[in-house]
Amino acid sequence: MANLIFFGAPGAGKGTQAKMLAQELDLIHISTGDLLRIEVQNQTELGLIAKSYMEKGELVPDDVIISMVENIVKNATKGFILDGFPRTIPQAKALDEMLKKYNLKIDKVIFLDVPKDELVQRLLKRAQLEGRTDDQDPNVIENRINVYNEKTFPVLEFYQSLNKLVKINGVGEINEIYQAIKNAIN
Ligand code: AP5
Ligand code: MG
């Protein structure tokens, strides 16, 4: 049983790669962004709170996200991939406590490294293919990347100090990147 974190900037390929690996290894794919978009779509109380942050490219408050993840992790009967979580130092610390509580651990943190120009190009392209509102406005994309650099990137150091971090070049063919990830976790 493997528990993994997929880490990277908006557009780095976390979702693309996590979906493939979760299917092949029979893991639960926990994408906090996808979960939030379902809440928004269903116009739940949580969705209404989340929407105002997401459409600006800001992070949804930590407590909301942490309880959402805990609800899944505590009932997990197989390994999981966290995609888009943790995204702040308080989220990383909360995850740590949560894992201790349920006697679980993270095996590896896969960091998909992609330069900013490529991220922006991918998200603008996706804006035309899919209906994600946070991809439509270049200013919102810019803000998501800035928020990542300020609040999320520092989380990497936390995992580096625990010796769990694997950096993967996230530029290139999707299948080549997938192979590199599989090599890294074996
Ligand atoms: P979230 O849904 O997590 O969005 P994100 O971080 O902005 O990342 P993306 O989903 O855009 O990118 P990705 O890395 O998954 O890349 P993908 O595989 O899709 O979060 C959205 C919002 O929710 C946040 O802004 C925040 O408001 C809130 N939120 C979520 N989690 C939160 C948390 N923990 N705390 C607080 N708030 C939270 O690929 C992108 C595109 O590139 C696709 O079109 C794909 O087809 C393409 N692509 C993928 N790989 C390649 C490749 N190798 N070459 C070319 N194109 C590629
Ligand atoms: Mg994603």
Side-chain angles (χ1 to χ4, degrees):
M1 182 161 124
N3 298 319
L4 305 168
I5 294 175
F6 276 28
F7 195 96
K14 303 180 294 294
T16 304
Q17 299 291 337
K19 242 173 252 162
M20 291 161 64
L21 194 68
Q23 192 163 21
E24 184 174 340
L25 301 185
D26 191 27
L27 302 171
I28 307 171
H29 176 203
I30 307 173
S31 160
T32 45
D34 288 352
L35 292 170
L36 290 170
R37 280 183 286 279
I38 292 170
E39 300 284 340
V40 171
Q41 205 175 358
N42 293 340
Q43 299 186 357
T44 63
E45 202 179 324
L46 194 158
L48 293 175
I49 298 171
K51 187 169 189 259
S52 59
Y53 294 94
M54 293 171 81
E55 56 193 18
K56 285 183 262 178
E58 294 292 330
L59 295 178
V60 175
D62 287 333
D63 53 342
V64 175
I65 300 286
I66 291 163
S67 59
M68 200 171 76
V69 172
E70 181 157 8
N71 279 333
I72 300 176
V73 164
K74 74 177 178 199
N75 296 316
T77 53
K78 50 189 185 182
F80 51 80
I81 303 178
L82 290 167
D83 160 4
F85 177 91
R87 247 175 156 101
T88 62
I89 296 285
Q91 288 181 20
K93 288 186 174 156
L95 174 63
D96 209 39
E97 281 171 29
M98 199 188 296
L99 294 169
K100 279 188 192 132
K101 191 156 108 189
Y102 302 114
N103 214 359
L104 296 166
K105 68 175 176 61
I106 294 297
D107 298 294
K108 288 256 159 44
V109 178
I110 306 292
F111 168 39
L112 293 172
D113 190 23
V114 176
K116 183 178 171 183
D117 289 354
E118 170 81 14
L119 298 172
V120 174
Q121 270 183 27
R122 288 185 190 177
L123 296 178
L124 287 174
K125 190 170 163 197
R126 189 173 65 186
Q128 295 171 342
L129 303 172
E130 294 174 31
R132 264 182 67 168
T133 43
D134 57 347
D135 289 339
Q136 309 296 325
D137 180 348
N139 293 319
V140 173
I141 291 180
E142 182 77 21
N143 192 42
R144 284 159 65 197
I145 294 172
N146 289 341
V147 167
Y148 168 79
N149 287 331
E150 256 172 58
K151 298 194 174 141
T152 306
F153 191 73
V155 174
L156 272 185
E157 234 167 81
F158 178 81
Y159 289 108
Q160 188 139 41
S161 71
L162 299 176
N163 265 327
K164 296 197 187 268
L165 192 68
V166 186
K167 183 168 156 177
I168 304 271
N169 176 11
V171 182
E173 288 292 322
I174 288 174
N175 282 319
E176 274 171 25
I177 298 165
Y178 186 63
Q179 282 308 320
I181 293 172
K182 288 216 299 186
N183 292 340
I185 60 172
N186 276 330

